[in-house]
Every structure is written in structure tokens, then in C-alpha cells.
Amino acid sequence: MVNNFCHSQRPPIKFISSDSYGICACLFCDFGDEFEVLDTTGEEPKEIFISNITQSLSGEVTCFENRPHKLESGQFVTFREVHGMTTLNGSMHEISVLSPYSFSIGDTSQMEPYQHGGIAVQIKMPKSFSFEKLEKQLVDPKYLTPDFSKPEAPLNIHAAMLALDHFQEKYNRLPNIGCLQDAEEMQMLAGSVVETLLSKPQLDERLVRWLSWTARGLLAPLAAVIGGIVSQEVLKAVTGKFSPLLQWLFVDAMDIVYPLEHTSREEFLPRGDRYDALRACIGESFCQKIHSLNVFLVGCGAIGCEMLKNFALLGVGCDSERGQITVTDPDLIEKSNLNRQFLFRPHHIQKPKSCTAATATFNINPQLKIDPRLDKICPATENIYRDEFYSRQDIVVTALDNVEARRYIDSRSVSNWRPLLDSGTMGTKGHTEVIVPQLTESYNSYRDPPDEEIPFCTLKSFPAAIEHTIQWARDKFESSFAHKPTLYNKFWQTHQSPQNVLERITSGDSLEGCFHVVKLLSRKPRNWSHCVELARLKFEKYFSHKAQQLLHSFPLDTRLKDGSLFWQSPKRPPTPIVFDAKDPLHLSFIISAAKLFAEVHAISFMETDLAHDTILKILSSMDIVEFIPSNKLVETDETVKKPDQIPVSSEDERIALLQLEGVISAGHVTKHDLHMNYLSFEKDDDSNEHINFITAASNLRAKMYNIEPADRLKTKRIAGKIIPAIATATAAVSGLVALELIKVVGGHPFEAYKNCFFNLAIPIIVFTETAEVRRTQIRNGISFTIWDRWTIYGNEDFTLLDFINAVKEQYGIEPTMVVQGVKMLYVPVMPGHAKRLKLTMHKLVKPGVDKKYVDLTVSFAPEIDQDEDLPGPPVRYYFRPENN
């Protein structure tokens, strides 16, 4: 046996076996008696700021400000920057969790007393996994249970697939499609297999029968799911990263075929075309429904490419009379896309994703009909993607990582009663969600907790982690090269004459943004040397003067009201950086900043201008102004948000007046002088200096605060908010979505649909039932769900009172409030609103010329006074009678 040979080798040969027959698939792994994994999860090591460590036998560590440590008992940590109990620094300890905010590290009673500060850093420890041979696992399998509502399913699939193996050995063929005799033989073989298992499940005869009927077929999406997971296990075997599968995984698609129990067996027989394998599983009528689908795919990245592949294999939208795939994505292909977006090749770089993917998909299945578009789906494109467009779609599929875009598309799908299939991945993690009209809740029914924002004062003055310095550098890029040019151009578009601006501020007028614009104009570089000098001045301001000012405001011995030191963890005292032209990091900042300033101000330079000697010559001729401390207040409150505008003092206005007089007298007020180029941050163009600037600025700030720096790749990932992606997860998640698509096409009952979450690194796979739609009760038996929409038809003379009466007459309850978006059309307690009852709906709503209807929100008076108004469903008001 191959597995015995592989297992017996020293070191063992990693053995992975997988099968996919009809509606069942399985995976088996054996990596030997002892397989060492260096990183079991792939997660970043946790860093925990400490507020206290007890001097005791248990050594209790308390997290700073009760922030959860998210550690587990048995894990290991090391310490750094602990003051007082310095023995801990650099030492390693196994922890025992005491609470979400504290853990024990063992005896600290003989150590010095803890004073302040300190960071506990999780240490990734190797872990050994032991595997059994296949022959033992055949009778006593260890397996994942993906669906806890069907705990016996894995053993039943195991027994059924072993029976299929025995059938092939006995008859040298697979069971015939829909053959009852072969299915009976399979039942007998499966019963015999169950008797050999140590754990004997109640045999699922329907599963065995369907496997027998469909074994000659193949569900391509199911193969994609198991293929993605297999690929991840191969990577684990090669790299020793992530926890391997112990040892079986069984997946079935019984939910798809249960409703087909009474379908004629003739439906499943082959017809000599490319869909015979699919037809063997779901039947000809089902195939035809898939072929005539209209599908709207939003997004054509990693998941979108995989979805198109699945659509091609299923024949989605390939019917000659009906059916089409509409795919939209405004993005162009970048080099970084090529490692996971498999429809693209190097020669496709900078070409539209949707058009390129459509062409590549035709090569898989020339019968497809695909309409590639370059639109971003958002409120701005509603004139293109109107309700009429959505009403033509049978299913909407999202393949996006933008939450707000997904919420918008969900709202459009719900309002047009269209099924929505949503999915996403993050590294080895993936999820799918199926949304079906009248059956399930929608994507917008739930809200994820908001992302934790970095406090403004932390970013500005008190960074404690590399993420803080990267975000600070990203903000500096936006401020210097995007926000300020935008403000500058807008100001000079409004005030075209600097002389006129001078006259107005001389006469006492206050012009919004004037001080900042005049400062930019007065400091505008006019050649390459000026750009280098400006970069050098920024260096001094950001990395020397800033540190000196903080230490002036808060000397190292500063104490708080309770007597504790101000500069203690997580606050780090800065160290001013002395510029050194020989330091590559210093020079990297100067060159990248100078090049960006040159681009913003349309200043040309040559390659020779970037030479080290040329830069040094410019820098050596500069006079750097000495630091002068100020008494400006430094914000320390973490709850304070970044101010929208920086206040301008009378002294600032006086300086602006002098500066503007200076540039006018110097003649530096040409059309060229009054314009700046706006830079849009682009992470994927390595030649544009955007990431170079952010990396250099971030690492200089990190050095200033004694924070571990980050390499360019990590900086790019954080600054560009890149969601890590791997082809294994995208293949699996798209396969799962395509399986749900088949169920939607079949009009399956609520119980058939499954949402899924997985993390292939651990590994864990969890199928759950979709959230059943909730019904909101108004009163007197009147209720609604998110899928309900009331409809009122009016005419040009239809008043607001007519609308209210029409709702009462048609739906049995009288609205007490009518709202259009954020505009309150009728709120009885509002002054003057009672008079609106006589106004026509046309006058109140003011529809456009081609507007046929408006969606309104209504609410109803509570049954008990002082309670909140009762919500109602959306009401679509048509401006003309129903038949017009």
C-alpha cells in the first residue's frame, strides 16, 4: 500500500489523498508519526501592554487599562521594557489565564518590585502532530465535523465512499447513473463497511443511494472546495506552517439533491456534451435553469476570477435565448494580482480586470455570454444600475472586500427582491453568506463592530507600535501631497487674483483657508534644489523639533497627579534624531520626499540630480534653524478627535499678509504658481515613491520612539490596507458560493441553505443555517419583514393627506410620520407640518422629470403614550396610477 510505504520512510513522505465523486468528496492526510509545525495559526504574535505585575508565587500580570490579552493557557510569553522587575526582561514564561485581562507567569516573589511599564510578547512555540496510517484510520477515522447539525454525516460519507471503493474493486466500474440495482448493491456494501468501523453510525441510506446514482458525475464547485483545502494541506506539508488536518475531511452536497428525489432518472443520463458530469448530479432540467441564468457579479479580483471559472464550468448564462453574466470592476490589473487572480497573466498588467477576465473565461467555455463593465457600484452610478437592471438579474454575487459597497449592493438586492450571494477571504480565513428573498435576513441586518481607531493623540504624539507610526506617515502623505494641493487649487479657483486676496485681508476680510494657502505659496519650491531643501526642513520638523517640543512640554521626570511617571508604558519618550547624510534611512526620506514635492509642484529633474554627491552638496549649503520651544498645549486625552480645522491666530494672519506681499513683489504669482498637482495614493506602483516615503517616514518616527521598525513589505500591507489573500482560500470560498447558487436556482427550502466560515490554517470549517427572516409586529396582526414593501399609486393632485389615507385603507393602519431619506416630510409635532397635509406629493418630494416613484419610510403611533413610534416597511409611492 502506498500509504504504508510513505509512512515508514525516515523522514516520512507526506501522504495526501482526496476524492470527489458526484455529491461527495473526502480528504485524508498522513504526515508521519511526528510532524513539527513552527507556527500553528499564522497569526501575528500578540503584544500586551502591562499595568502591573504582582510580587508573589503566582506572578499575576494585569493588562494596561483592562485591554483583553487574548492569550490561552499553555502559551508562552517574553517581556521587554519592564521597569523595576527587570529580571523578567528577555525571560520566557508559560502562562495560565486568570481572566480576559490578567494571567499568571509563576513565582515572582524573589524578584525586584514592579515599578511601571513593560510589554508581554507572545512566543510562537513549535508543536508536534502525530498521524496514524491509512489502514488504521479506515476503521477508526479522526475527522473534522463541519456541520454540527449533522454530527454523524462524516462517518456516513466515510462508509459510503468506502462502499464505492469496494464496488469498483468488485465490478471494475462505477455504479451506473440512476441505476436502482447498483444502488441496492451499494447499500449492502455500505452496511458491511459500517460493521468494520469502531464507531458504528446509523447508515444514511439516502446518502448511499445518491452517491451511487451520481458517482459518475462531478460537481465542479464541490471539487473546487476540496481542491482549495487540499492545496493548503500540501503547503503545510512542505513548509511546516499552520496546523495540519487530523486526518479526514468529508463534505457532501446532499442539500442540493434532496428535492430531486422524485425526478425522473432519464433527466440524469449523459447527452454527449460538456455538461454530462453536472447533469449526472442534478439532472437536465436543473442544468437548463443554470444555463438561462442572468447573474450580476460585482468584483473581479481573486474571488471574482474563481467565480467566473465556476460559472464557466456550470454553463451559467450560456443558453442561446436567455441568460448572461454581467461583471463589473473599475480596477486595472496590477503585478501583485497575478499570484492569486488566475485569469490574468503578466501581459495583462494595466488592463481592465473585467474585460480581461471575460476574455479568459471565454477560453474555458466559448458558449458563455459575458458583459464586462468598468463601473463602481455605488450611489453615484444609480442612473446606470437602476431597479430595472436589478429586476433583470436572477442572482447577484459580490466578490468585494469593501464593506460599505457590500451593504449598498445588499440594500439594492433587497429592494428588488433579488437573491444575493456574498463572500470574502482574509488570508486563510473565508466566509460565505446566502441571502434569499422572503427566507433569510440580509447582509444589512447585522453590523460588525467598528474597527478600533487609533486615538488622535497617540498618532500625533505618543505612538507605541509600528502600526501607529505607519498610520502617521500615511496621514503625512495625504496631508502634504493630496489634501494641501486640493485646498490650494480650490482656493485659487475661488480667488483668482492674489492682489485681490491681499486687498481683502488688508481690509479685514477673513478668507477660509487663506493662511495655509499663502504659506504654501510663499514656500513653493521652484527647482530641484528647493525640493531637496524642503524635504530636509520636513526632516528636522518631524524627527527633531517634534521630539524636543514634547520633552520641553513633558520632561522625563514629569509625574501625573497620582504621582506616577508621565513617560511610562505605553507612552514612550522620544529621542530627537540628528540628521546624518551617511545614514541610508535619512537619505531615503530626503530623496523620496523631494521627488514627491517635485511632482506636486511640476518640477522636472534628471537622474544625475539624484546622485549622492549632488544631494549632499545641496544639503551642506543649508542653514538649519535652531529649535525654539513653544508653550502650545499638547493633547493627551485619548477621547479627543482630530480637529476639523486648525485655528488661525491674529499673528498667523499678520504673517500671511507679509508673506503674500513678498510673493507678489517677487512676481511669484503666475498661473503656474497658483496650481499644485494632486497625488492619489497608489500602493502598487513601485516607481512612484509613495511607499518609499511612507516606509522611510514611519521607520524614522519608530526610531525616534524606540519602536521596532517594519520592512517595506509590511509597511505597504498596513499603509495600503491590503487584505492578505491566498489562492487556496479563494478557490474554496468560490466553490462554496457556487454550491449555494445551485440551491437558489432550484428554489430550495430554507433548511437547504448554509453559510460557512473557515480558517484553513487551524483548520476549522463550520457550516451554519442561514438566519431566518424576522417578522416585525406593528399591531392588530399587522407585521412586515425586510422583504416587504408597501405600494401606493397616486397622481399629480395626490396630497400628503391622500397618501396617509391610502396607506390606512390598503394596509389597515394610519401612518403618523412620513420620511424621505433624511428629509422629514411629515412629523405632526414639527411646527407647520400640519399645513403640509394639503400639499401635493409632487410639491413635497420634487421628483425629477424621469422619476417614476419615490421610496418613503413611515412609522406609526405607539399603543401606549410615551413609547417610541412603531417602525413600518418602506413604502414605494408611484407618481402616476398603476396602469399609466
Side-chain angles (χ1 to χ4, degrees):
M1 181 186 273
V2 175
N3 175 251
N4 285 340
F5 173 80
C6 293
H7 194 98
S8 64
Q9 302 304 299
R10 292 294 175 266
I13 299 171
K14 314 304 185 291
F15 180 87
I16 299 174
S17 173
S18 66
D19 281 312
S20 183
Y21 289 102
I23 47 90
C24 290
C26 70
L27 164 62
F28 172 77
C29 293
D30 174 9
F31 296 170
D33 293 323
E34 192 173 335
F35 178 71
E36 186 176 78
V37 173
L38 302 176
D39 182 356
T40 57
T41 65
E43 303 291 340
E44 289 285 330
K46 298 177 180 66
E47 293 194 357
I48 302 105
F49 289 100
I50 297 165
S51 65
N52 188 50
I53 306 173
T54 62
Q55 195 179 22
S56 62
L57 292 175
S58 61
E60 182 176 333
V61 180
T62 305
C63 301
F64 182 78
E65 291 186 346
N66 279 338
R67 295 173 183 171
H69 51 71
K70 299 180 182 178
L71 295 171
E72 298 176 8
S73 294
Q75 292 180 332
F76 288 80
V77 297
T78 186
F79 294 86
R80 69 171 191 258
E81 302 177 29
V82 174
H83 292 261
M85 201 176 280
T86 55
T87 309
L88 285 178
N89 290 328
S91 62
M92 185 171 71
H93 300 266
E94 184 176 356
I95 71 141
S96 296
V97 172
L98 302 175
S99 78
Y101 316 104
S102 62
F103 55 88
S104 169
I105 58 171
D107 190 1
T108 59
S109 59
Q110 302 304 312
M111 298 181 186
E112 309 91 328
Y114 172 81
Q115 292 178 2
H116 65 84
I119 300 172
V121 183
Q122 180 190 2
I123 298 176
K124 296 271 188 171
M125 301 295 290
K127 183 177 180 180
S128 184
F129 292 82
S130 180
F131 292 79
E132 294 178 343
K133 295 180 182 179
L134 178 60
E135 59 185 2
K136 185 174 182 181
Q137 280 290 300
L138 287 175
V139 296
D140 188 19
K142 292 187 289 186
Y143 52 83
L144 283 183
T145 303
D147 190 342
F148 290 102
S149 68
K150 300 187 293 184
E152 287 198 337
L155 275 180
N156 269 299
I157 298 170
H158 180 58
M161 296 199 78
L162 283 180
L164 185 63
D165 286 342
H166 295 329
F167 187 99
Q168 291 184 81
E169 290 175 5
K170 186 174 180 179
Y171 296 104
N172 200 30
R173 64 175 176 85
L174 288 167
N176 289 320
I177 297 172
C179 178
L180 296 177
Q181 185 177 349
D182 285 354
E184 289 176 5
E185 178 68 11
M186 277 280 289
Q187 298 283 8
M188 293 175 58
L189 292 171
S192 301
V193 168
V194 167
E195 292 304 313
T196 67
L197 301 179
L198 294 185
S199 296
K200 296 177 173 54
Q202 180 67 40
L203 184 64
D204 187 340
E205 294 183 355
R206 291 177 72 187
L207 172 69
V208 177
R209 183 166 61 249
W210 271 106
L211 177 59
S212 176
W213 287 345
T214 63
R216 288 179 179 263
L218 177 73
L219 281 173
L222 184 61
V225 173
I226 207 72
I229 299 169
V230 168
S231 301
Q232 190 68 60
E233 294 306 308
V234 171
L235 291 176
K236 295 175 187 178
V238 172
T239 64
K241 186 173 183 180
F242 305 151
S243 301
L245 173 69
L246 291 175
Q247 288 187 249
W248 290 93
L249 173 67
F250 302 99
V251 186
D252 71 78
M254 282 297 292
D255 288 331
I256 289 177
V257 297
Y258 271 145
L260 306 177
E261 193 81 36
H262 302 295
T263 304
S264 167
R265 296 301 98 195
E266 299 293 324
E267 284 264 324
F268 299 84
L269 296 178
R271 304 195 175 193
D273 61 21
R274 65 180 297 154
Y275 304 110
D276 277 348
L278 174 65
R279 187 177 290 109
C281 297
I282 63 173
E284 170 63 13
S285 297
F286 215 148
C287 285
Q288 289 303 319
K289 290 180 181 179
I290 292 174
H291 299 339
S292 61
L293 274 181
N294 284 315
V295 175
F296 184 31
L297 174 62
V298 186
C300 200
I303 296 176
C305 284
E306 293 287 338
M307 287 308 313
L308 285 172
K309 176 201 72 177
N310 279 296
F311 291 166
L313 297 176
L314 292 172
V316 171
C318 70
D319 185 81
S320 59
E321 296 182 2
R322 187 185 188 277
Q324 178 177 274
I325 301 167
T326 303
V327 56
T328 187
D329 194 313
D331 291 345
L332 303 180
I333 298 163
E334 302 290 347
K335 185 177 181 180
S336 60
N337 300 149
L338 301 181
N339 69 341
R340 63 192 181 279
Q341 300 178 17
F342 291 146
L343 296 180
F344 307 142
R345 297 293 180 266
H347 61 274
H348 293 142
I349 291 173
Q350 289 304 301
K351 292 183 178 179
K353 285 187 175 182
S354 57
C355 300
T356 307
T359 302
T361 310
F362 283 132
N363 293 333
I364 302 174
N365 187 344
Q367 296 176 323
L368 294 182
K369 290 176 288 180
I370 306 179
D371 176 17
R373 302 186 178 191
L374 307 179
D375 303 311
K376 182 178 180 180
I377 303 303
C378 61
T381 57
E382 274 192 13
N383 61 326
I384 303 172
Y385 297 92
R386 301 184 179 188
D387 290 340
E388 291 84 355
F389 171 83
Y390 282 93
S391 66
R392 292 196 300 271
Q393 309 306 315
D394 298 304
I395 298 175
V396 178
V397 180
T398 55
L400 300 165
D401 54 19
N402 185 301
V403 172
E404 290 309 311
R406 287 153 80 174
R407 292 198 181 283
Y408 172 73
I409 295 164
D410 174 75
S411 67
R412 297 300 307 276
S413 298
V414 170
S415 67
N416 287 280
W417 281 29
R418 289 297 169 263
L420 173 67
L421 302 176
D422 180 65
S423 62
T425 64
M426 181 180 289
T428 58
K429 302 183 184 77
H431 77 273
T432 66
E433 183 176 6
V434 56
I435 296 157
V436 184
Q438 302 295 350
L439 297 183
T440 71
E441 289 288 275
S442 75
Y443 185 85
N444 281 312
S445 299
Y446 307 96
R447 289 278 173 179
D448 295 329
D451 292 336
E452 189 173 333
E453 288 188 0
I454 304 171
F456 171 63
C457 69
T458 299
L459 281 178
K460 187 173 176 61
S461 304
F462 308 111
I466 193 64
E467 289 79 7
H468 301 162
T469 69
I470 292 173
Q471 185 60 53
W472 172 87
R474 177 77 168 81
D475 290 347
K476 286 300 176 191
F477 177 93
E478 287 297 323
S479 172
S480 299
F481 309 119
H483 175 69
K484 286 180 180 177
T486 302
L487 176 71
Y488 190 86
N489 295 338
K490 185 177 180 181
F491 183 88
W492 290 120
Q493 287 166 5
T494 306
H495 311 282
Q496 294 183 0
S497 166
Q499 290 80 4
N500 176 257
V501 170
L502 179 60
E503 290 174 7
R504 292 187 62 180
I505 59 177
T506 303
S507 64
D509 286 357
S510 179
L511 306 180
E512 185 180 352
C514 180
F515 168 71
H516 302 291
V517 167
V518 170
K519 189 164 81 168
L520 287 169
L521 177 60
S522 67
R523 298 178 181 180
K524 187 177 179 69
R526 305 194 173 277
N527 54 49
W528 170 248
S529 294
H530 289 173
C531 294
V532 175
E533 291 169 1
L534 183 55
R536 175 65 181 88
L537 293 174
K538 293 294 184 184
F539 183 102
E540 199 70 15
K541 175 184 176 182
Y542 294 158
F543 311 119
S544 178
H545 290 185
K546 175 66 177 178
Q548 293 180 67
Q549 179 60 47
L550 274 172
L551 294 174
H552 170 77
S553 300
F554 304 105
L556 292 176
D557 58 356
T558 302
R559 292 187 178 272
L560 301 173
K561 291 180 181 179
D562 62 2
S564 62
L565 283 169
F566 177 85
W567 291 110
Q568 61 172 302
S569 180
K571 286 189 176 70
R572 296 166 172 268
T575 302
I577 296 178
V578 178
F579 179 75
D580 181 0
K582 296 179 182 178
D583 189 314
L585 180 59
H586 296 200
L587 205 59
S588 173
F589 175 84
I590 297 297
I591 292 174
S592 60
K595 289 171 77 173
L596 291 173
F597 282 128
E599 186 176 356
V600 164
H601 295 282
I603 294 171
S604 60
F605 59 90
M606 296 184 294
E607 198 65 31
T608 54
D609 292 326
L610 301 174
H612 189 264
D613 291 343
T614 306
I615 300 293
L616 287 183
K617 185 178 179 180
I618 297 170
L619 295 175
S620 62
S621 65
M622 289 183 65
D623 291 324
I624 302 300
V625 178
E626 291 289 324
F627 168 70
I628 302 174
S630 76
N631 295 320
K632 190 176 180 181
L633 179 68
V634 177
E635 186 59 67
T636 59
D637 187 348
E638 291 191 357
T639 63
V640 173
K641 302 291 185 182
K642 182 179 180 180
D644 293 331
Q645 290 184 334
I646 300 173
V648 178
S649 66
S650 57
E651 177 63 14
D652 291 334
E653 291 177 346
R654 187 187 69 81
I655 292 171
L657 182 63
L658 294 174
Q659 289 174 333
L660 187 54
E661 287 175 343
V663 294
I664 290 175
S665 63
H668 294 158
V669 288
T670 65
K671 186 177 181 180
H672 171 78
D673 292 320
L674 303 184
H675 178 78
M676 292 173 67
N677 294 324
Y678 164 93
L679 301 187
S680 179
F681 174 68
E682 175 50 64
K683 65 183 183 298
D684 289 317
D685 184 354
D686 291 340
S687 66
N688 65 11
E689 296 296 333
H690 297 189
I691 293 297
N692 290 346
F693 171 83
I694 292 170
T695 302
S698 168
N699 284 341
L700 281 165
R701 189 167 173 84
K703 184 178 181 180
M704 187 170 95
Y705 283 95
N706 194 27
I707 295 170
E708 189 73 23
D711 61 23
R712 189 179 188 279
L713 191 62
K714 181 175 181 179
T715 303
K716 177 179 177 178
R717 176 172 61 81
I718 295 172
K721 298 181 179 178
I722 297 173
I723 296 176
I726 187 169
T728 55
T730 53
V733 87
S734 63
L736 291 167
V737 170
L739 290 174
E740 296 305 312
L741 178 140
I742 295 173
K743 298 176 191 177
V744 171
V745 174
H748 284 36
F750 171 79
E751 297 76 17
Y753 300 106
K754 299 291 182 183
N755 293 339
C756 182
F757 169 80
F758 64 73
N759 184 348
L760 302 184
I762 302 179
I764 183 173
I765 302 170
V766 179
F767 290 103
T768 60
E769 285 189 350
T770 56
E772 189 169 7
V773 65
R774 290 172 293 184
R775 182 162 289 280
T776 301
Q777 299 293 328
I778 303 176
R779 63 168 176 262
N780 301 331
I782 301 170
S783 62
F784 67 94
T785 73
I786 59 167
W787 298 101
D788 290 326
R789 183 178 64 222
W790 293 355
T791 302
I792 299 295
Y793 289 91
N795 53 56
E796 289 187 7
D797 300 323
F798 214 72
T799 65
L800 176 59
L801 181 60
D802 291 333
F803 171 82
I804 292 172
N805 289 335
V807 172
K808 180 180 179 181
E809 181 179 337
Q810 287 184 222
Y811 299 103
I813 190 166
E814 181 178 339
T816 53
M817 188 183 299
V818 183
V819 178
Q820 177 193 1
V822 296
K823 179 182 176 182
M824 294 184 178
L825 297 183
Y826 178 62
V827 181
V829 297
M830 297 283 285
H833 274 223
K835 296 178 181 178
R836 294 186 176 185
L837 291 171
K838 297 179 181 179
L839 298 178
T840 65
M841 294 296 286
H842 264 76
K843 189 166 186 177
L844 281 170
V845 174
K846 298 181 176 64
V849 177
D850 59 344
K851 194 78 171 176
K852 296 179 180 178
Y853 60 80
V854 63
D855 287 324
L856 305 172
T857 302
V858 297
S859 55
F860 308 96
E863 294 185 272
I864 302 173
D865 288 344
Q866 297 180 343
D867 279 1
E868 292 185 3
D869 280 1
L870 302 171
V875 179
R876 178 162 290 182
Y877 172 73
Y878 285 87
F879 297 106
R880 293 178 178 81
E882 185 170 2
N883 296 323
N884 284 24

